[in-house]
Amino acid sequence: MGENRKGLVFGFAAYGMWGLFPLYWPLLEPAGAAEILAHRMVWSLVVVAVLLLALRRWAWITELIRQPRRLALIALAATVVSVNWGTYIWAVNAGHVVETSLGYFINPLVTVGLAVLVLHERLRPVQWVAVGIGCAAVGVLAVGYGRLPWIALVLAFTFGTYGLVKKKIAMGGVESLAAETSVQFLPAAVFLVVLGSRGDSTFTHHGPGHATLLALSGVATALPLVLFGMSANRLPLSTLGLIQYMAPVFQFLIGILHFHETMSTEQWIGFLLVWSALVLLTADALRNGRRTRAAATAARSAAAPAPEHAADPATAPATGVPGATAGRTPGV
């Protein structure tokens, strides 16, 4: 199997697992969202610690401890992703699966907005149109829900902020998750101890099957991240950008077809507006990616030394102009 195909398999597996999360969290009931979140934090650290031990990748810890700014960013990332995880688990188990999918559909638009507000990047006209349509969609959805779609907005903005902070941290996926869950571990462990001392913990009171499912939340967190990393090393960013829509599509379909959530006319219109904005954003990103690659190819061709031509006239091109076809783009 070629590297590109392996990358696709790993990418589909990662985003497929993230898309199926709405089927997993309800299995952990009667545990509440806070207890599930705490177990997810604790067991995620256990899983990534085992991975790092197996891979013998510990050198980064000493280097990280000497960098207080990166430690502060990791603490911020851990806080933001904790809000994201907690909101998502609560929303799924409270019957708001469709709205959670909306959050991850909106996320690329939020990321573009944060690039302008925080990184002071300049948007292309099509990107501005997409963001405008996204804002209009939120207004329509607010009418449909009878409130702001706050679950979707919290998920989109926390995940967008998380991505922005992770970009500044610049660490590998497993190492980053290990650092973040190290920050989460102590408060999560204290919460579980207090919960158990009050007799409110479900971990030891609902059989080994329930305890195993809670512990597997660590695997469910770490495994798709590892698969994503393996995919990202093999695929272009544009391909990953398209695959990412698998997760919210799965979540949306699960909410409609499995949990039978209803959608008003205004909600359908809002979702259609969001999808239209994403089509514009994706098409613009692909077009800009092609232009960037074409410009890079042209620059490399211009910088390459002219080929040496044989002295024998019989080997010269039929046009009589040595090297007449050099640097031509194939197919043009």
Side-chain angles (χ1 to χ4, degrees):
M1 184 185 295
E3 289 299 300
N4 191 268
R5 186 170 296 179
K6 286 181 182 178
L8 288 172
V9 171
F10 293 141
F12 283 126
Y15 282 106
M17 290 182 67
W18 281 323
L20 295 175
F21 267 8
L23 298 177
Y24 178 66
W25 303 124
L27 299 177
L28 306 185
E29 294 178 332
E35 183 180 2
I36 295 172
L37 175 62
H39 275 287
R40 185 179 187 183
M41 293 172 175
V42 168
W43 294 110
S44 292
L45 180 59
V46 173
V47 172
V48 292
V50 170
L51 282 173
L52 291 172
L53 184 63
L55 297 171
R56 298 182 180 180
R57 281 157 55 175
W58 299 103
W60 60 273
I61 297 177
T62 305
E63 181 185 348
L64 179 62
I65 291 173
R66 297 171 182 166
Q67 300 177 340
R69 183 176 179 276
R70 287 182 89 191
L71 287 172
L73 288 172
I74 286 169
L76 176 59
T79 302
V80 171
V81 82
S82 296
V83 175
N84 182 275
W85 288 358
T87 303
Y88 183 80
I89 293 168
W90 174 84
V92 167
N93 287 357
H96 300 289
V97 176
V98 170
E99 192 173 347
T100 65
S101 75
L102 176 64
Y104 293 106
F105 279 126
I106 291 176
N107 179 63
L109 299 171
V110 170
T111 300
V112 170
L114 289 174
V116 174
L117 296 174
V118 180
L119 302 179
H120 307 294
E121 293 183 7
R122 298 181 64 181
L123 298 188
R124 295 183 293 276
V126 174
Q127 291 176 310
W128 277 116
V129 172
V131 171
I133 293 174
C135 292
V138 170
V140 173
L141 287 163
V143 174
Y145 282 107
R147 57 171 174 80
L148 272 177
W150 67 267
I151 295 171
L153 293 175
V154 168
L155 291 175
F157 277 93
T158 52
F159 200 73
T161 304
Y162 179 64
L164 183 65
V165 175
K166 293 267 280 189
K167 182 180 178 67
K168 292 182 177 293
I169 294 172
M171 288 177 63
V174 177
E175 291 86 350
S176 180
L177 182 62
E180 292 158 20
T181 50
S182 295
V183 174
Q184 297 169 330
F185 181 83
L186 185 57
V190 169
F191 175 80
L192 291 176
V193 169
V194 171
L195 202 65
S197 67
R198 288 167 29 190
D200 295 330
S201 172
T202 66
F203 186 69
T204 57
H205 293 81
H206 291 270
H210 178 71
T212 301
L213 285 172
L214 283 171
L216 286 175
S217 62
V219 178
T221 299
L223 182 57
L225 182 66
V226 172
L227 290 169
F228 171 79
M230 295 167 71
S231 176
N233 289 335
R234 292 170 170 84
L235 291 179
L237 188 60
S238 58
T239 304
L240 277 177
L242 292 175
I243 297 176
Q244 75 172 332
Y245 295 123
M246 269 186 64
V249 166
F250 278 18
Q251 293 163 9
F252 178 80
L253 293 176
I254 288 170
I256 296 292
L257 301 177
H258 181 74
F259 292 107
H260 305 293
E261 295 184 23
T262 57
M263 294 269 288
S264 67
T265 301
E266 291 84 359
Q267 288 169 323
W268 277 112
I269 293 172
F271 268 84
L272 287 171
L273 286 172
V274 170
W275 293 333
S276 299
L278 291 177
V279 168
L280 283 176
L281 204 62
T282 303
D284 178 70
L286 292 174
R287 184 167 54 250
N288 188 63
R290 283 196 297 268
R291 287 175 180 170
T292 302
R293 287 192 296 272
T297 300
R300 285 195 298 269
S301 299
E308 295 181 4
H309 299 284
D312 185 355
T315 63
T319 58
V321 182
T325 60
R328 181 179 296 175
T329 304
V332 177

